Amino acid sequence: MPHPTSHAPGTVSWADVATPDVAVAAAFYAELLGWDVDDPDPAMGGYANACVDGRRVAGLMPLVQEGQPSAWTVYLATDDADRTAEAVTAGGGRLVVPPVDVADLGRMAVATDPAGGFFGLWQPGTHTGFQLTESPGGPGWFELSSADHHRANTFYTGLFDLGVDQAGDGDAVDYTVLTQDGRMVAGTTTLPADHPERAGWQVYFIVTDADAVVASATRLGGTVLSPAVDSPFGRMAELADPFGARFAVITMMDAPSDGAGSGSMGS
């Protein structure tokens, strides 16, 4: 049950969901994944942190502009947001929000990669990011679907000290893994031609019973985008919350048999 206190540059250190109703979204994820969600902080624009066993696992925030879709955003850790932001544009990406301080919490920027993938940068201050990972209720994997994920790989490995391993056969299954010091940190794959809406980064949250969580999601107002299926890494499903924000859940092969994210609260 990892309890990270810092995150290496280039790894996903945080994720949050932008939503039209933080209270409704908080209730959905709290029951589905076992989160305790803080009261939104007016000083931070209504931002709220979600925790499991007192450790941060994700954030929720109101939409900030008209027409903005409800969606999850991943943030890549950096020691220098300004320098990394310059590298984003030099590498063919686009800055959506230039680096800006978020009180004493950290310094952030928002960008898109050359293939259109939307992501954030986070230089930590007092908010160091995830405090619980690879455990029920917390994030366990991150994946980028892109029309040209090999181009995206070149971009991300140019920003950070990351490697790339081919996991699929490169033809029928073109799946690659971004690595750091031999450790897998994220997956990248070709965007299905018949599912353009799946473009971008996706967060996988650990649960102890994927089927129970799928059943609970529909009862709670969510949508099942892909039903639970077995994979070499565990049983997983793709869902959307009541406002359409896409995310995935996975029961890892060695996941514990109890705890948050079991789905038992809603099954």
Side-chain angles (χ1 to χ4, degrees), residues 36-49:
D36 295 314
V37 182
D38 296 341
D39 291 334
D41 184 352
M44 291 292 117
Y47 199 95
N49 286 291

Side-chain angles (χ1 to χ4, degrees), residues 218-233:
T218 55
R219 183 185 64 78
L220 295 170
T223 304
V224 179
L225 303 175
S226 297
V229 296
D230 291 324
S231 78
F233 304 101

Side-chain angles (χ1 to χ4, degrees), residues 44 61 75 78 80-85 95-111 120-125:
M44 291 292 117
M61 62 179 290
Y75 295 79
T78 176
D80 189 330
D82 294 85
R83 185 181 63 211
T84 305
L95 281 179
V96 179
V97 178
V100 60
D101 288 328
V102 185
D104 65 346
L105 301 178
R107 189 164 175 81
M108 65 163 286
V110 179
L121 299 172
W122 185 251
Q123 178 183 337

